[in-house]
Amino acid sequence: MTARQVLQQADIARALTRISHEILESNRGSSDLVLLGIPTRGVILAKRIAAILDSIEPGAGTVGSLDVTMYRDDLAKNPTRAPGPTEIPAGGIDGKTVILVDDVLYSGRTIRAALDALSDLGRPRAVRLAALVDRGHRELPIRADFVGKNLPTAAGERINVRLLEIDPVEEVTIE
Amino acid sequence: MRHLLSTKDLTRDAAIALLDTAEDMADVADREVKKLPTLRGKTVVNLFFEDSTRTRVSFEVAAKRLSADVITFSAKGSSVSKGESLKDTAQTLAAMGADAVVIRHSASGAPRVLADSGWIDAGIVNAGDGTHEHPTQALLDAFTIRKRLHGAASRGRDLDGVTVTIVGDILHSRVARSNLWLLTALGAHVNFVAPATLLPVSTEGWPVELSYDLDEAVDAGPDVIMMLRIQGERMNAAFFPNAREYSRQWGLDDERVARLPAASIVMHPGPMNRGLEISAGAADSPRSAVLEQVANGVSTRMAVLYHLLSGAVEL
């Protein structure tokens, strides 16, 4: 099947800028914001959003990563996955507003695992979700607060997010 | 990974994957909630036919941190150490639904028997079998060395070019054997130093250099010097004249430890005979990583249990 490009580099940049503004708007400023990216590409996106936040309101946006491998509900169905690193910023997450950042929101199961992982790490004041692409087909009552692009898909299609930090090109494709 | 019986079976990549997972597991120990839900509903049986404190407790903590149910079964003093009874024990555990069995046995090869016999379907972890292997000890040693050398940047690294000198009772040491295979697979260079009576009859085909002189080995400035315990329970013949002479010739005393390079790491799998193979000064020096080894044991064993139990069953 051929891949069709749905977002180019400039589109991704614009989406992230908009998400950053929305985060600041809904949070009424940048106080007590912690961005946690879900490996692998969620972490990169979280870092980019943090950089944008910082350029709008200097000092905003501490960033970290949250690995959810150990909390997944499909571990017994797949070959063993290698977990990734979890890095929580020095201030912790207690009483903070945590923004979870992932590249694609699909069944919602990753986010369910992330919420469980968060509750073992502390008690945030609020948890929000930002995703670059929302492709639908939710299996759990979870929705994103900040979405780069809503992309209606068929279950058999694949969404590929490629980012320059680790991929040769920057784009979102559907195949 | 279905079983962990020997470090000989581990490739460089598999070993690094295990060590990297252990890094993530180590982070859990620093958290407020020191528990992961990963192995919820799995049963791990610790089957210990031989005495142990740190390995048994370490496996127990590791399994509990991953939310597995743990049953610890010490067979000391009973007659289960005979072949047929091992079969009965295994079948009993299988009937109770054990998902993994951690076994320590005085007979070399007992875990292999359990894994190959078909008596039990569970994953088998060798926690020390006779004078054969002790793979999780080697993994935690490699983890400790890597952590000392590379700190927070340890992930994905091997031990290329690291020199490790293992000193003492090589003949009876499963720790030395497991470390030899694992450290060599990771790119390290291993030397054995021991009295001739405490070396195996043949080390043909082993990727190791032998020597009989600890002073020479110390002056060569190894990156790691690992002292082995003189195993009183296996000293059934006159391997050396007496303890004082052993200590003088092959013990790591204060004077020898002072001659090591400042960055050298002193290791000991424990339990230590202070004053025999290692002096108190050496064991408590800043070079010593003995307590780190114990702490890292939990993370490493969590990683092993995770790799053994989390994935889909490979048929």
Side-chain angles (χ1 to χ4, degrees):
Chain A
M1 209 191 288
T2 51
R4 179 165 58 86
Q5 194 182 51
V6 285
L7 289 180
Q8 299 177 344
Q9 185 166 8
D11 301 326
I12 294 173
R14 272 194 292 273
L16 293 179
T17 307
R18 180 172 51 73
I19 287 175
S20 306
H21 281 284
E22 285 176 1
I23 289 173
L24 287 176
E25 188 183 5
S26 75
N27 193 54
R28 299 182 179 192
S30 59
S31 61
D32 289 339
L33 269 181
V34 176
L35 292 151
L36 292 180
I38 296 171
T40 309
R41 287 176 181 75
V43 180
I44 295 167
L45 293 172
K47 284 183 180 150
R48 289 200 197 169
I49 293 174
I52 299 170
L53 289 178
D54 202 53
S55 69
I56 304 168
E57 291 195 15
T62 43
V63 63
S65 62
L66 180 69
D67 182 67
V68 304
T69 309
M70 310 304 284
Y71 293 85
R72 299 192 72 91
D73 59 3
D74 57 356
L75 286 173
K77 294 190 179 65
N78 296 308
T80 305
R81 286 163 170 266
T86 289
E87 280 158 25
I88 301 301
I93 58 168
D94 284 329
K96 305 284 174 65
T97 298
V98 171
I99 315 275
L100 293 172
V101 184
D102 204 358
D103 50 357
V104 179
L105 180 58
Y106 184 25
S107 66
R109 288 178 188 268
T110 303
I111 305 305
R112 199 276 315 157
L115 291 173
D116 281 357
L118 269 186
S119 68
D120 280 359
L121 291 166
R123 186 178 184 282
R125 188 170 57 81
V127 183
R128 311 270 182 240
L129 174 58
L132 181 61
V133 174
D134 182 349
R135 61 168 295 191
H137 302 283
R138 213 76 77 241
E139 293 165 9
L140 294 168
I142 282 171
R143 65 170 174 77
D145 301 273
F146 314 105
V147 180
K149 181 159 180 70
N150 281 300
L151 211 55
T153 56
E157 288 173 321
R158 251 191 84 79
I159 302 282
N160 295 310
V161 175
R162 298 195 181 87
L163 300 173
L164 277 180
E165 280 89 338
I166 48 175
D167 302 306
V169 288
E170 174 139 328
E171 60 179 5
V172 176
T173 58
I174 184 166
E175 61 180 296
Chain B
M1 198 164 72
R2 178 86 175 88
H3 306 292
L4 178 63
L5 303 174
S6 159
T7 52
K8 231 177 184 171
D9 310 333
L10 288 176
T11 59
R12 176 182 172 279
D13 290 345
I16 289 178
L18 272 171
L19 298 182
D20 286 352
T21 306
E23 291 279 347
D24 299 310
M25 300 298 182
D27 295 341
V28 176
D30 304 328
R31 305 193 332 195
E32 206 168 293
V33 180
K34 294 184 183 53
K35 212 163 169 89
L36 294 168
T38 317
L39 298 183
R40 220 173 46 192
K42 304 273 188 190
T43 305
V44 176
V45 177
N46 285 334
L47 194 55
F48 277 68
F49 292 91
E50 224 186 33
D51 291 339
S52 160
T53 318
R54 74 204 77 224
T55 306
R56 181 168 53 82
V57 173
S58 179
F59 265 112
E60 208 168 316
V61 172
K64 284 181 173 166
R65 287 221 174 128
L66 289 169
S67 303
D69 295 315
V70 192
I71 302 164
T72 297
F73 181 89
S74 291
K76 183 78 179 164
S78 68
S79 61
V80 283
S81 49
K82 292 169 184 161
E84 197 186 354
S85 299
L86 181 63
K87 175 179 180 179
D88 282 339
T89 315
Q91 286 175 333
T92 309
L93 297 174
M96 289 193 293
D99 296 293
V101 176
V102 176
I103 177 172
R104 166 167 290 193
H105 202 288
S106 56
S108 304
R112 172 73 67 186
V113 170
L114 217 51
D116 291 348
S117 59
W119 300 329
I120 183 166
D121 202 25
I124 309 292
V125 182
N126 181 0
D129 59 335
T131 59
H132 174 229
E133 286 232 27
H134 190 353
T136 57
Q137 177 72 40
L139 282 165
L140 76 90
D141 288 338
F143 183 86
T144 306
I145 296 169
R146 199 175 76 153
K147 195 92 185 155
R148 271 264 176 138
L149 292 178
H150 301 301
S154 295
R155 261 173 246 271
R157 306 287 289 258
D158 59 11
L159 298 176
D160 204 23
V162 176
T163 52
V164 181
T165 299
I166 304 180
V167 186
D169 185 359
I170 308 287
L171 177 62
H172 297 108
S173 180
R174 52 198 178 206
V175 176
R177 285 168 180 72
S178 283
N179 263 309
L180 174 62
W181 308 125
L182 180 68
L183 296 175
T184 307
L186 286 170
H189 185 81
V190 181
N191 305 299
F192 284 164
V193 178
T197 48
L198 286 176
L199 282 170
V201 177
S202 167
T203 53
E204 222 179 277
W206 291 19
V208 65
E209 250 172 66
L210 300 179
S211 101
Y212 307 100
D213 189 335
L214 179 58
D215 284 308
E216 267 176 31
V218 164
D219 290 333
D223 297 309
V224 178
I225 188 157
M226 189 181 293
M227 307 306 297
L228 298 173
R229 182 171 68 93
I230 290 299
Q231 307 186 37
E233 73 272 25
R234 293 188 228 272
M235 288 295 147
N236 48 7
F239 291 105
F240 47 82
N242 62 45
R244 277 181 55 198
E245 178 152 348
Y246 180 86
S247 174
R248 200 163 54 238
Q249 294 261 14
W250 290 283
L252 187 66
D253 56 22
D254 297 0
E255 187 266 323
R256 287 190 177 113
V257 85
R259 268 166 34 213
L260 284 169
S264 288
I265 311 171
V266 174
M267 299 176 79
H268 192 296
M272 290 185 281
N273 295 310
R274 282 175 186 250
L276 181 52
E277 71 266 4
I278 188 165
S279 71
D284 300 331
S285 75
R287 290 186 180 89
S288 162
V290 174
L291 291 176
E292 287 156 59
Q293 288 175 273
V294 179
N296 292 339
V298 175
S299 331
T300 312
R301 286 170 180 126
M302 283 170 79
V304 169
L305 290 174
Y306 172 72
H307 278 262
L308 227 62
L309 286 175
S310 74
V313 179
E314 298 160 38
L315 296 171

